[in-house]
Structures are given as C-alpha cells and as structure tokens.
C-alpha cells in the first residue's frame, strides 16, 4: 500500500531543543493528521489539519498543512523527555475514513 | 478512557494455529472499523476495512482467506489470522469511527502476535 514519505527517519536531540519533521505525498489529501505512538501502544492523535495553508498549535506542538495539499510539517518546541516516541503523519480525504500513514520519525532525547 | 479496546494485548502461538483478535468500540457504534498491521520499526499499513453486516474490503496484497474479518455487531470486529506462520508476527491495530468534529480516528491499544 501507499506510504507517505516522512523525514527525518530518526532524530537524536537534547532536552530543550526544538524539533521539526515533515511529510510529503505524491497525491493530494484534504486532511492531514499527526500521531504519536509509544512502544506497544496504538497511535494517539496530536493535531488535525483540514485546510490548505492552515497552521495549528497544540501546546508546544505546531503543525502546518502545506498549500499544495501534498505536504505537512510538525514542530515541537522545547522538547521534554516525554516527547520521546515515534511520530507519524497521516493523510486522509474527508468522508473516507481510511488513513495513509507516513513512514514515521523516531525521536530520542539524549540525556 | 479508551474508546476502542483490543483483546488480547499479547498472544504467542505455534505455527499453524489460528489466532483471533477482537476490536470493540466501548461507548459508540461503529459501522466501519479498520485493521492495520505494523511490523517492527515500520509504519502502520492498512490491511482491511471491516464493514458491519457485510464483507470486509481488503487492501491489495492482503490475503482475505488468511486474515478473516468478521464484523457481526456494531461494537465488535474480529480479525482471525488463520494457519499463522512466523512471518505473520506483527503488531495488529484496529481503529474505529471518524469524529467529524475533532477529526479523531480512535485506535485500539494494539495486539502483538508472535508466532513461534
């Protein structure tokens, strides 16, 4: 099945640093979602974006829906230990509940 | 609390046996549920769409005779991995509903299958 290209694949940062990751697609989506997955658990929604160009924040997280509708990015400011995990982007088209997931970005915080 | 629940969380079985995984919506009715598979260090890949009262829709490359899906009620979908083999070892995750206000698709906790 299709997967969205997500980069970087892995990130090793120090606590307090800002993080940026992005997701690109060869096809258009009218909804972009960002999830975080902790080991052995299902994904948890962080931010949902519904409009091209939209910039949405959720606490220290900010995500943008690319104007072309083929990309999105997620920023995390002032990272903390509980930010560790795998972040997935997902694209969907409203009215169709099927999600296409990105390849994931594994975030590790170095002590 | 969780709105979608999966059972079992962990299962270990011998090669050749069949394993059933349940996905329940706890406080809502779900006419549609989705089954994903996630291999270690990989993303979630949609396997099939489970439709209440009708046949499941499988994604390309997913064997419908091997991964039997039953959605007999509005709160329960089951995935049965038949004649499991070690290569079927994976993390299986279901999801249900699409909250059109918040945009949230609720995921189960996942079921880790290990086939010996």
């Amino acid at each position: 099945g299709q997967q969205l290209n997500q980069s970087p694949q892995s990130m090793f940062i120090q606590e307090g640093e800002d993080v940026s990751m992005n997701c690109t697609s060869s096809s258009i989506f009218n909804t972009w979602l960002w999830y975080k997955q902790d080991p052995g658990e299902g994904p948890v929604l962080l931010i949902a974006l519904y409009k091209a160009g939209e910039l949405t924040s959720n606490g220290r997280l900010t995500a943008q829906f690319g104007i072309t509708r083929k990309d999105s990015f997620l920023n995390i400011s002032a990272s903390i230990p509980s930010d560790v995990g795998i972040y997935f982007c997902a694209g969907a088209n409203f009215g169709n509940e099927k999600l296409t997931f990105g390849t994931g970005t594994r975030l590790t915080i170095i002590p | 609390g969780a709105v979608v629940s999966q059972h079992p969380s962990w299962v270990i079985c011998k090669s050749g046996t069949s394993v059933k995984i349940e996905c329940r919506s706890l406080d809502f009715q779900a006419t549609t549920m989705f089954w994903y598979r996630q291999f270690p260090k990989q993303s979630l890949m949609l396997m099939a769409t489970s439709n209440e009262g009708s046949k499941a829709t499988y994604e390309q490359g997913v064997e419908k005779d091997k991964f039997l899906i039953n959605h007999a009620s509005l709160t329960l979908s089951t995935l049965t991995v038949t004649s499991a083999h070690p290569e079927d070892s994976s993390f299986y995750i279901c999801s249900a509903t699409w909250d059109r206000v918040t945009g949230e698709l609720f995921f189960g906790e996942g079921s880790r299958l290990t086939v010996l």
Side-chain angles (χ1 to χ4, degrees), chain A residues 1 3 31 33 35 37 40-43 45 48 50 88 92 94-95 97-99 101-103 106, chain B residues 32 34 36 38 41-46 49 59 91 93 97-98 100 102-105 107-109:
Chain A
Q3 278 191 318
T31 300
L33 306 161
Y35 288 86
Q37 185 180 25
E41 298 183 16
L45 181 67
Y50 302 106
F88 290 102
F94 195 78
E97 297 152 302
K98 291 169 61 172
L99 299 183
F101 281 88
T103 46
R106 183 181 295 272
Chain B
T32 304
F34 301 90
Y36 293 84
Q38 185 178 31
K41 298 185 179 181
Q42 294 188 26
S43 187
L44 290 80
M45 295 296 292
L46 180 65
T49 302
E59 296 299 302
F91 195 51
I93 306 173
T97 204
W98 174 266
R100 296 176 187 237
T102 67
E104 184 158 7
L105 190 69
F107 284 87
E109 309 96 328

Side-chain angles (χ1 to χ4, degrees), chain A residues 19-90:
Chain A
V19 171
S20 184
M21 60 190 79
N22 65 69
C23 196
T24 59
S25 169
S26 58
S27 55
I28 290 173
F29 292 106
N30 60 34
T31 300
W32 281 89
L33 306 161
W34 284 92
Y35 288 86
K36 180 175 182 280
Q37 185 180 25
D38 292 325
E41 298 183 16
V44 175
L45 181 67
L46 300 174
I47 291 180
L49 303 158
Y50 302 106
K51 186 178 178 181
E54 179 182 1
L55 185 71
T56 298
S57 294
N58 178 7
R60 295 177 296 107
L61 277 61
T62 303
Q64 184 158 29
F65 190 150
I67 198 72
T68 65
R69 293 195 284 159
K70 291 184 177 181
D71 63 329
S72 177
F73 73 74
L74 174 71
N75 286 341
I76 306 173
S77 62
S79 58
I80 60 177
S82 60
D83 292 334
V84 167
I86 303 175
Y87 292 80
F88 290 102
C89 62

Side-chain angles (χ1 to χ4, degrees), chain B residues 37 47-49 55-70 78-83:
Chain B
R37 179 168 53 185
M47 296 176 64
T49 302
K55 291 182 179 180
T57 304
Y58 290 82
E59 296 299 302
Q60 190 173 10
V62 178
E63 300 174 59
K64 62 180 181 180
D65 294 331
K66 181 170 183 62
F67 299 98
L68 302 179
I69 292 174
N70 184 284
T78 61
L79 168 69
T80 301
V81 183
T82 62
S83 186

